[in-house]
Amino acid sequence: MLNYPMPVLDEAELAAAAAGLAESEIRLLSGTVVDPAGVIRAKHVPTVRARAFHVAGVGASPSWNVFCIDNAIAFRPGFGVVGDLRLRADLAALHVLGDGLAWAPAEMFDQDGDPVPVCTRGLLRRTQAELAGRGLTALVGAELELVVPEQVGRPWNAYGLGPVLDVEPFVLDLVDMCTAVGLPLEQVHAEYGVGQVEFSLSPTDPLTAADNVVLARLLAGRVARRHGLTTSFSPQPFAGGAGNGAHQHLSLFRDGVPLLSGGRGPHGLTPEGEAVIAGIVAGLPELLGVFAGSVLSTHRLQPGRWSGAYACWGLENREAAVRLCAATSGNPHGASVELKCIDPSANPYLATAAFLGLAADGVSRGAALPPEVTVDPAGLTGAGAAVRLPVDQAAALAALDASPLAERLLGTEIRTALSAVRHHELDTYGEEDVAVLAERFRFTWSS
Ligand code: GLU
Ligand code: MG
């Protein structure tokens, strides 16, 4: 399972990376990991230590994997105060951010330099490689919704022009920063929620897509600070109304040929494309704890919020958790399935790995496509009623804990750590009022 380790740069590549950092007058390299609770954590080294950060790594306690959203530690066997992990920066994904700072995603290793199964970026790397081993490649595009709390209480038109002009200096600087660092930005708009702005990213390979989510949140936080603003990536930054989603679009190809278009099935699906959608829809209730597992997640995941509260699929159906976007001339990236139930409290590496894993599971089983939902699923009743995803965190975690599929897709270590931190949330805050929770954890998933 662990035989796809992060590549180590050779001497020439290391020298080129060092020269690039020196030339851009970089003073600090930040290396990030995202923990199972979805919080971005980091270690930083002065530029001269970039090589060491990549080759030997820097230390982190195994308990990093069971840090909770309130900074409690949900100790479990193997995740305690004894032992040491090495965080190694992946300099193949190094980005010079300017003004002294560079960033690279990091992965977790043991002290002998071997990958550890609890590393979520390592899991996604392996999932992507295993897919490739079966002749499948994937493209993933992420959407980032964020709320600027300073704008809440001001006039707001959903999808309006004015709201973006209100935060224009922030938006323009963020666009400039994305361009400068090579982060492929697709679109910006004012979302439905008050103070809510969306940035969507172009599709890339899955590992890069998850890295891009982390990088985009870093840039958003860095640029916002320069304008005296803050950014909330909480699933429910304020009680009531629209929450923040972290939707992902997935396209799959066999030997370069799309699975979600060009076939004879509904809307051009190929037989394997049908199985992809079937696998995702079938596994969603069990895996919701990965996609939307925090104590705030099910407050967002409500019918009528376009957050995908039902385990069903439909062409351009914004109330279905799985929205098919067909390959039309208006969709130059080709067909994709959008998983709408993902929220920003999900670790993007885990969410992407689970999304790919469900799709691959459908293909391996030759799963049969369930009937399409062509209306708002909330209105379906009786025998044709759509499957509502777990309605609270307790139900989502119970389904995850009981799922052999989750065990297979995530591995014991990640599942143990994820379950530990989410159960801490449930036990400590499960009865708390949403307004109190929203305020307390408004900036937990920001950087
Ligand atoms: N804000 C909605 C969510 O929580 C999504 C709105 C949309 O982009 O369709 O997922
Ligand atoms: Mg949106």
Side-chain angles (χ1 to χ4, degrees), residues 59-111:
S61 163
S63 60
W64 273 43
N65 293 296
V66 286
F67 283 174
C68 300
I69 58 172
D70 58 0
N71 294 313
I73 306 178
F75 291 114
R76 290 290 184 281
F79 301 111
V81 293
V82 177
D84 187 50
L85 294 170
R86 309 304 294 175
L87 305 182
R88 290 175 48 207
D90 184 355
L91 294 187
L94 175 69
H95 283 73
V96 166
L97 307 185
D99 298 317
L101 193 65
W103 167 84
E107 280 181 36
M108 291 180 171
F109 295 80
D110 65 20
Q111 287 182 315

Side-chain angles (χ1 to χ4, degrees), residues 145 159 191 196 198 242-245 247 300 305-307 340:
E145 292 181 341
Y159 305 99
E191 253 297 343
Q196 194 174 39
E198 174 171 331
N244 284 321
H247 311 178
R300 159 189 170 259
R305 305 264 187 92
W306 294 11
S307 55
K340 291 180 74 75

Side-chain angles (χ1 to χ4, degrees), residues 24-280:
S24 308
E25 300 182 3
I26 296 305
R27 307 203 294 276
L28 196 67
L29 168 62
S30 296
T32 53
V33 289
V34 188
D35 70 20
V39 177
I40 303 175
R41 308 209 181 258
K43 285 246 175 159
H44 317 265
V45 298
T47 310
V48 290
R49 294 253 308 138
R51 179 198 179 98
F53 200 173
H54 175 62
V55 177
V58 300
S61 163
S63 60
W64 273 43
N65 293 296
V66 286
F67 283 174
C68 300
I69 58 172
D70 58 0
N71 294 313
I73 306 178
F75 291 114
R76 290 290 184 281
F79 301 111
V81 293
V82 177
D84 187 50
L85 294 170
R86 309 304 294 175
L87 305 182
R88 290 175 48 207
D90 184 355
L91 294 187
L94 175 69
H95 283 73
V96 166
L97 307 185
D99 298 317
L101 193 65
W103 167 84
E107 280 181 36
M108 291 180 171
F109 295 80
D110 65 20
Q111 287 182 315
D112 294 322
D114 291 322
V116 290
V118 76
C119 177
T120 59
R121 191 171 187 264
L123 173 74
L124 179 55
R125 179 191 292 287
R126 294 195 301 278
T127 305
Q128 185 173 326
E130 281 162 8
L131 220 56
R134 297 168 51 181
L136 295 171
T137 49
L139 286 177
V140 174
E143 299 181 359
L144 290 101
E145 292 181 341
L146 64 94
V147 163
V148 178
E150 290 79 7
Q151 298 305 109
V152 174
R154 294 177 54 94
W156 191 264
N157 293 327
Y159 305 99
L161 171 61
V164 170
L165 298 182
D166 284 343
V167 286
E168 180 186 337
F170 161 64
V171 169
L172 288 182
D173 280 358
L174 186 50
V175 169
D176 284 351
M177 187 68 89
C178 291
T179 307
V181 308
L183 187 65
L185 197 57
E186 193 90 355
Q187 195 195 129
V188 181
H189 65 265
E191 253 297 343
Y192 195 84
V194 176
Q196 194 174 39
V197 181
E198 174 171 331
F199 296 83
S200 42
L201 304 178
S202 307
T204 64
D205 71 274
L207 191 61
T208 305
D211 284 345
N212 284 348
V213 168
V214 178
L215 177 56
R217 281 198 218 168
L218 188 168
L219 296 181
R222 195 178 191 216
V223 174
R225 280 173 177 84
R226 293 178 178 182
H227 292 281
L229 299 173
T230 54
T231 54
S232 172
F233 284 93
S234 164
Q236 196 69 47
F238 292 87
N244 284 321
H247 311 178
Q248 292 189 8
H249 289 259
L250 170 66
S251 304
L252 276 164
F253 307 83
R254 176 170 295 286
D255 303 322
V257 179
L259 300 188
L260 299 172
S261 61
R264 297 215 188 128
H267 315 297
L269 293 172
T270 66
E272 285 195 314
E274 291 190 19
V276 163
I277 293 181
I280 298 165

Side-chain angles (χ1 to χ4, degrees), residues 399-439:
L400 185 70
D401 289 343
S403 169
L405 181 60
E407 177 77 13
R408 185 149 59 76
L409 299 185
L410 309 179
T412 304
E413 292 79 0
I414 287 178
R415 213 158 71 103
T416 301
L418 178 62
S419 179
V421 295
R422 294 309 192 200
H423 276 286
H424 169 81
E425 294 172 22
L426 177 64
D427 296 346
T428 316
Y429 305 105
E431 301 296 316
E432 193 64 85
D433 184 71
V434 60
V436 175
L437 288 179
E439 186 180 352

